Amino acid sequence: MTTVSASGAYLEVQGLMKWFGSDRAVDDISFSLPKGQFLTLLGPSGCGKTTTLMSIAGLHGIDAGVIRVGGTVYTSKADGIFLPPEKRDIGMVFQSYAIWPHMTVKQNVAYPLEIRKVERREIDARVADVLRLVGLADMSEKLATQLSGGQQQRAALARAIVSRPRLLLFDEPLSNLDLKLREQMRVELKRIQHEVGITSVYVTHDQAEALVMSDEIIVMSKGRIQQKGGPHQIYARPINAYVSNFIGVANLLKGRVVGVTAPGRGDVEIAEGGHRVKLSCQLGEGVAMGEEAVVSVRPENVHAERVNGGGQRLEGEVLQAIFLGNYVDCRVRWGEFEWKVLAHPRDRLREGEKVYLRLDPEHTLAVQQ
Amino acid sequence: MSVQTLPGTAADAPTTSRWRSLITQESVATLIVSVLVGAAVLLPLFTLVVSSFLVLDPGGFDTAWGFDNYKTLFTDRIIPRAFVNTLLISTGSTIVATVLGVSLAWINARTNCPWRDRLEPYNLIPFFLSPFVGAIAWHNLASPKTGLLNAWARHYLGIEGYLINVNNIYGVIWVTGIFFTPLVYLFVVGSLRRMDPSLEDSARTTGAGLVRTTMTVTLPLVAPGILSGAIIVFVTSAGEFGVPFKLSAPYGWETLTTQIFSKAVGDDANHYLGATMSMALGAITAFFIYVQQRYIAPRSFTTVTGKGFRPNVIDLGRWRWVAFGYNVAFILVAVVLPILCLFIVSLHPVWTAEIIPSDMSFRNYEKTLFFWRPDAIQAATNGIFNSLILAFAGASIAMVLSLVVSHMIHRTKGFGSRVLDFLCVVPIGFPGIVLAMGVLVTYIKTPIYATLWILLLGYITRFFPYGQRNIASVMLAISEELDQSSRMAGASWLTTLRRITIPLLKPGIFAGWVLLFIIFLRELSISIILYTSGTETLSVGVYYLTNFENEPLTSALSMAQTVMLLICILIFRRVAGREALTA
């Protein structure tokens, strides 16, 4: 019963459905995750990512599907199985941290071990260990109310991992921290997770967080999975316009595939902004000859040049050039379309200047709408 | 650190079967509590409805089904009159309490009246004391012949006869009005304090003066609070038994409550007619509470934002001393004067409206409190014992129940929680005497009748919603994630309740407990219906003394009750803020 399935999947979610009234919060979601990996569920609020997490935690029932961890069925609607949350052996870090204010840091962290009736001496040793790991060794006697936000965050993490659970769940744990602390905690969280090696599922709406920490990312929208993949893959090869736009910034132009020149490569005719041009593109999954597609180009892959060096060039005018130190954030007018361009400061682009935009076919992607 | 599975966790947990997964600590507890609360609340009301259609034959032995009891409500010599008196008293005391409550709240929340922070706690004292004892005190103060104030008027002002007389319907209106003033006060003062000052400022900038702004902006914004308070006062006055029993019924002004009482006990007892009158009274009060809960209470939040504003404080100039005098006068009339008079009367062997220092002693306290003495009055000493037991046990059981019920209403969503939420409002809609009538007709043939258990049942059923609201207000302020994270840490529902939820709710639980303790210690209208010889309560003891003994003895026991309540108020103030009262 506790064997790991043949595919090497540790966490398995199959056909998960959860309705709130007539609203399908989670609409037929399936995914799996190998042991020790860090998965992020990414999407805007209301996309079903937290509902998915709560379903895994067992904090609410589900309307269809199966959830398995390490071969043990946690929830199965069809078989009427529902393991109560306390039997799931899961560590969880909540958005509000949920550090119990009537206990000290040490008491908070010791709690899961006390529940598991671990010997007092071992509890002390393990609590001290884990507090050292999260950097709260000298805070153990403090009350939760005396901690800063970042420290509460660490305490919550310590409490979640102290029992060495089978699975670690994070519900937007960094969203209440300020930007500086958030950036620091991302790296820290990843380091600690790597060190303890517990399979983790992380929920966030912050794409930067997802890119920094994850082994795998699932981009969700309206209760469905849009794309699953590694951070690099999701960023460089988004499957559709939604993912492309949600992860990072992209220039999106509607068009139609008018020619396939090589496997995975072709021409897309753009009729946007009063222009009609053919762009040479990488064709994404599900994009075929004659079909409508969206061309997606990241701002850093658009090069604004003063001279027309031939090839795939678009002539435009600099609308706006905002100097941001290590780069210049530009808007370039091309008919009615505005290109977002990242330029190098040494190019010294000025507003009102005429430029030629060079698109590298390697990084010009045609994706599904 | 490596991943290893600990004993007692998922790995060796058996696969739960379809049915067993439904039987959890939580679902079992929910079911038990729902059934208990449902039975406790609905059974008496159901029996009351059924009983109201049972007609007693003239011989007083057999019953038949019919509408005769309802006809009697209109044809009886006294009942229609009692009905009108009840409405007059409720209307009158609502007006008195609203005028006093709103003006005092405004003075305390929005003006620079001197020492207003110090005055506030005293404004609230009548809320905790027994209106029945208030009526006794005012009887001593302002009866035509034996009233202290009238005696002074005769002596110092040379007036013939009397100056004021509270032994009538106006006396009832006056005493109920001042005792329920804090209810209106509490409903209004919060809205006044938390109102966004820019709402008033913007009226001032359009050129409206202070008076105009107050009349056109401030008061309309707190109108839902005022209306809520007024409705609660109206309903509570309609269900008030002690005050009309003491001040108006003996002089020919019966009310529905005094009539229900006379049908429940005594020589012409007719429980079925009593049940019918209870139905009539309950229909009125339930209607008003429904309107208040459904339409008015939800609106009162729309005028008030949660942000902590510093409200506009109005400079009254020299008038602030008038406001101060007004507030002090209220405290004198509502608290100081009655208690002082009780104390003075209680020291005399007989009361002749004359203070005789040489006669004064604590004899009356010995006879009412010292149960070991042979001349102790049983009804009084029993009352103290029983009330302490009932208040302690009742408050404890009610708070456990409240805790579980609040948890179910606010932490588990679904049908069950909505049903419980409804069940928690129902008892508030019915006066104690009405619910007690229901409890009486339901359990009179069971072994719990004539024991303290039936009183306990009546107390808890009627008043546990107050405890429930106290806990709920704290619970809503505590994140649900605190509970959830305990479940995720491996703790069961019960362990979570014990180790996380209850410790976090401790202030709310204790405040609710003390509030219920106070309510039970002074309870009269349920006790008077359900007590029998041996199960008297403190207020029933006072009733007994005022009926069968003299005023000084009555005053002594009243004084003892008042002192006990004042001590509880001190404790309550230490553990709970003002917010805990606005249920």
Side-chain angles (χ1 to χ4, degrees):
Chain A
M1 210 177 92
T2 51
T3 52
V4 172
S5 71
S7 60
Y10 185 68
L11 166 66
E12 287 173 281
V13 173
Q14 284 168 4
L16 177 64
M17 297 261 232
K18 177 68 186 174
W19 298 351
F20 292 117
S22 59
D23 180 32
R24 294 184 176 199
V26 173
D27 190 7
D28 192 12
I29 276 187
S30 303
F31 63 86
S32 62
L33 186 68
K35 195 164 183 165
Q37 293 250 301
F38 194 110
L39 169 77
T40 296
L41 301 175
L42 177 66
S45 66
C47 72
K49 58 191 192 297
T50 298
T51 308
T52 306
L53 196 78
M54 293 293 168
S55 303
I56 297 171
L59 290 171
H60 58 56
I62 62 174
D63 292 306
V66 180
I67 296 167
R68 254 189 302 262
V69 175
T72 310
V73 178
Y74 275 21
T75 307
S76 169
K77 187 68 187 170
D79 297 325
I81 293 170
F82 182 81
L83 206 60
E86 65 267 24
K87 295 269 166 65
R88 297 190 174 210
D89 195 18
I90 289 176
M92 185 155 176
V93 180
F94 289 84
Q95 189 168 13
S96 68
Y97 320 137
I99 290 294
W100 300 308
H102 60 299
M103 297 182 185
T104 63
V105 171
K106 195 175 162 186
Q107 286 168 334
N108 263 284
V109 177
Y111 187 88
L113 299 178
E114 286 168 12
I115 295 296
R116 288 167 173 75
K117 300 199 165 56
V118 177
E119 232 182 291
R120 192 73 239 174
R121 202 178 316 149
E122 201 194 331
I123 290 181
D124 289 342
R126 278 168 69 173
V127 169
D129 263 359
V130 84
L131 283 178
R132 203 172 311 122
L133 182 71
V134 300
L136 283 181
D138 48 350
M139 296 279 180
S140 64
E141 297 304 329
K142 288 242 162 97
L143 275 174
T145 43
Q146 297 169 300
L147 298 185
S148 70
Q151 288 167 336
Q152 287 194 34
Q153 176 65 71
R154 288 159 192 271
L157 179 62
R159 188 178 62 190
I161 59 178
V162 72
S163 65
R164 294 164 200 157
R166 317 175 101 201
L167 199 63
L168 206 47
L169 304 180
F170 297 89
D171 182 17
E172 307 214 27
L174 302 184
S175 60
N176 287 339
L177 299 178
D178 63 57
L179 184 67
K180 259 262 159 59
L181 206 51
R182 199 154 65 214
E183 286 175 348
Q184 183 195 337
M185 279 306 288
R186 276 174 202 159
V187 183
E188 193 105 340
L189 261 180
K190 178 68 192 157
R191 172 184 70 82
I192 293 166
Q193 188 269 338
H194 191 76
E195 209 155 313
V196 296
I198 302 172
T199 315
S200 301
V201 181
Y202 189 99
V203 157
T204 184
H205 62 265
D206 182 335
Q207 38 116 355
E209 239 166 78
L211 293 175
V212 171
M213 298 197 288
S214 320
D215 299 313
E216 290 275 322
I217 295 174
I218 288 179
V219 182
M220 291 179 69
S221 161
K222 291 175 187 161
R224 287 171 169 276
I225 291 179
Q226 296 294 321
Q227 189 173 4
K228 178 175 187 272
H232 191 262
Q233 185 191 358
I234 295 263
Y235 185 81
R237 300 297 303 250
I239 195 156
N240 56 28
Y242 178 85
V243 175
S244 170
N245 198 32
F246 193 78
I247 305 278
V249 182
N251 293 293
L252 298 173
L253 303 104
K254 279 187 187 159
R256 183 184 295 279
V257 182
V258 292
V260 176
T261 49
R265 201 167 272 250
D267 292 332
V268 177
E269 190 179 63
I270 302 294
E272 180 102 52
H275 293 272
R276 186 173 280 274
V277 292
K278 242 188 260 176
L279 295 178
S280 173
C281 298
Q282 299 273 2
L283 299 183
E285 195 181 310
V287 177
M289 177 67 192
E291 289 200 16
E292 305 226 324
V294 173
V295 173
S296 160
V297 195
R298 300 279 180 206
E300 65 268 27
N301 293 327
V302 184
H303 309 285
E305 290 164 0
R306 288 206 176 81
V307 287
N308 189 351
Q312 193 158 288
R313 307 262 164 157
L314 308 170
E315 186 182 328
E317 181 196 325
V318 179
L319 265 184
Q320 197 180 55
I322 301 167
F323 177 59
L324 286 164
N326 51 349
Y327 64 91
V328 180
D329 187 2
C330 296
R331 296 293 148 113
V332 174
R333 178 154 62 201
W334 178 59
E336 280 153 37
F337 188 83
E338 265 180 42
W339 284 89
K340 292 166 228 152
V341 180
L342 283 195
H344 199 281
R346 70 170 168 253
D347 291 345
R348 292 184 184 270
L349 291 178
R350 287 200 189 83
E351 284 163 21
E353 218 177 341
K354 187 191 270 187
V355 287
Y356 299 93
L357 301 177
R358 175 165 59 85
L359 305 180
D360 183 352
E362 282 303 315
H363 297 115
T364 303
L365 200 64
V367 299
Q368 299 169 28
Q369 279 183 324
Chain B
M1 242 184 244
S2 65
V3 182
Q4 76 183 56
T5 310
L6 286 147
T9 54
D12 50 13
T15 308
T16 330
S17 79
R18 185 185 287 268
W19 291 108
R20 276 193 49 205
S21 68
L22 288 175
I23 305 169
T24 60
Q25 287 173 348
E26 197 172 355
S27 64
V28 170
T30 309
L31 191 70
I32 292 174
V33 169
S34 303
V35 169
L36 276 179
V37 172
V41 171
L42 298 179
L43 209 55
L45 295 175
F46 176 75
T47 326
L48 203 62
V49 176
V50 172
S51 306
S52 72
F53 292 105
L54 279 171
V55 184
L56 202 64
D57 74 355
F61 293 107
D62 274 330
T63 53
W65 296 100
F67 292 95
D68 289 22
N69 291 333
Y70 285 93
K71 271 185 220 147
T72 312
L73 291 187
F74 297 97
T75 58
D76 189 83
R77 197 167 47 83
I78 303 171
I79 297 171
R81 194 62 223 148
F83 197 83
V84 172
N85 285 341
T86 298
L87 291 181
L88 286 176
I89 287 170
S90 290
T91 310
S93 44
T94 303
I95 292 169
V96 171
T98 307
V99 170
L100 287 173
V102 172
S103 55
L104 289 171
W106 183 76
I107 288 172
N108 275 271
R110 306 301 293 276
T111 71
N112 64 339
C113 167
W115 298 299
R116 54 189 195 283
D117 296 343
R118 301 266 178 87
L119 292 175
E120 173 151 82
Y122 297 97
N123 286 337
L124 298 177
I125 286 181
F127 179 83
F128 298 97
L129 299 182
S130 160
F132 180 43
V133 166
I136 289 164
W138 273 94
H139 181 80
N140 292 338
L141 274 171
S143 285
K145 286 198 183 109
T146 58
L148 190 58
L149 294 179
N150 287 323
W152 283 346
R154 283 192 293 269
H155 189 262
Y156 295 111
L157 305 176
I159 286 170
E160 292 284 318
Y162 59 86
L163 187 66
I164 37 175
N165 177 11
V166 289
N167 292 337
N168 52 41
I169 197 170
Y170 306 105
V172 178
I173 288 173
W174 170 243
V175 174
T176 0
I178 54 177
F179 266 81
F180 296 154
T181 292
L183 284 175
V184 179
Y185 183 97
L186 286 166
F187 268 101
V188 177
V189 79
S191 321
L192 279 176
R193 285 225 170 90
R194 280 172 291 169
M195 187 187 291
D196 181 350
S198 64
L199 294 172
E200 286 168 317
D201 290 344
S202 51
R204 297 295 287 274
T205 57
T206 63
L210 169 63
V211 175
R212 203 184 165 122
T213 303
T214 305
M215 289 300 161
T216 58
V217 177
T218 317
L219 286 181
L221 280 173
V222 293
I226 298 175
L227 213 52
S228 277
I231 289 177
I232 301 289
V233 171
F234 187 91
V235 165
T236 319
S237 305
E240 172 59 34
F241 166 74
V243 182
F245 174 79
K246 178 67 188 172
L247 292 181
S248 70
Y251 308 96
W253 285 273
E254 293 276 350
T255 64
L256 279 178
T257 52
T258 59
Q259 277 294 295
I260 291 170
F261 167 67
S262 71
K263 293 294 179 290
V265 297
D267 299 332
D268 61 340
N270 178 346
H271 292 167
Y272 308 111
L273 186 55
T276 314
M277 279 192 282
S278 300
M279 288 293 300
L281 179 56
I284 298 171
T285 57
F287 168 75
F288 277 105
I289 291 293
Y290 175 78
V291 169
Q292 190 262 335
Q293 294 277 327
R294 182 85 174 72
Y295 298 104
I296 297 163
R299 280 185 55 198
S300 56
F301 294 105
T302 57
T303 62
V304 179
T305 58
K307 290 177 192 161
F309 289 110
R310 179 184 293 273
N312 287 336
V313 169
I314 293 154
D315 185 357
L316 291 178
R318 258 190 267 157
W319 284 92
R320 71 183 193 277
W321 293 104
V322 176
F324 176 72
Y326 174 72
N327 198 331
V328 169
F330 172 77
I331 294 168
L332 277 177
V333 165
V335 182
V336 180
L337 209 55
I339 293 180
L340 203 63
C341 180
L342 272 184
F343 186 60
I344 291 169
V345 174
S346 73
L347 297 175
H348 290 79
V350 284
W351 181 240
T352 56
E354 198 181 343
I355 300 172
I356 310 167
S358 59
D359 277 3
M360 286 189 186
S361 73
F362 285 97
R363 271 288 294 153
N364 293 322
Y365 289 92
E366 293 171 10
K367 278 174 86 172
T368 48
L369 302 181
F370 294 174
F371 57 91
W372 60 87
R373 293 176 64 123
D375 62 344
I377 298 165
Q378 288 274 309
T381 53
N382 278 351
I384 292 175
F385 260 127
N386 289 337
S387 274
L388 284 174
I389 293 169
L390 284 171
F392 194 86
S396 305
I397 297 171
M399 287 321 287
V400 171
L401 198 66
S402 302
L403 179 73
V404 180
V405 168
S406 306
H407 187 85
M408 281 155 193
I409 292 175
H410 297 290
R411 290 290 189 259
T412 59
K413 280 113 200 153
F415 181 68
S417 76
R418 285 202 299 278
V419 170
L420 275 172
D421 202 15
F422 171 73
L423 286 176
C424 286
V425 182
V426 171
I428 298 173
F430 296 93
I433 201 163
V434 170
L435 205 76
M437 231 15 240
V439 170
L440 180 73
V441 290
T442 310
Y443 301 103
I444 192 160
K445 284 178 185 145
T446 66
I448 71 163
Y449 180 67
T451 66
L452 283 181
W453 294 106
I454 194 168
L455 284 155
L456 197 63
L457 186 70
Y459 281 16
I460 294 172
T461 308
R462 174 61 183 81
F463 292 108
F464 90 91
Y466 295 100
Q468 190 265 324
R469 282 166 182 228
N470 245 301
I471 290 186
S473 65
V474 186
M475 193 174 271
L476 288 173
I478 294 172
S479 164
E480 197 178 348
E481 293 184 349
L482 290 167
D483 290 354
Q484 290 178 341
S485 57
S486 169
R487 295 298 291 278
M488 297 316 300
S492 66
W493 179 75
L494 218 52
T495 308
T496 301
L497 207 59
R498 185 171 59 81
R499 290 200 51 181
I500 306 296
T501 318
I502 293 176
L504 287 173
L505 291 175
K506 227 186 255 163
I509 293 173
F510 196 56
W513 191 92
V514 179
L515 185 65
L516 289 180
F517 192 86
I518 289 170
I519 290 173
F520 293 163
L521 209 54
R522 65 161 195 226
E523 212 295 320
L524 173 66
S525 56
I526 293 175
S527 324
I528 200 73
I529 299 291
L530 298 178
Y531 91 97
T532 46
S533 177
T535 60
E536 296 91 350
T537 67
L538 197 42
S539 290
V540 171
V542 175
Y543 152 83
Y544 174 88
L545 294 176
T546 192
N547 245 13
F548 303 108
E549 299 282 347
N550 59 20
E551 288 303 322
L553 277 168
T554 310
S555 299
L557 190 60
S558 300
M559 198 58 207
Q561 186 184 40
T562 304
V563 169
M564 286 161 85
L565 289 170
L566 287 173
I567 293 169
C568 292
I569 298 172
L570 275 178
I571 298 171
F572 185 81
R573 273 196 61 79
R574 299 204 73 156
V575 297
R578 196 170 27 236
E579 289 76 13
L581 293 174
T582 43

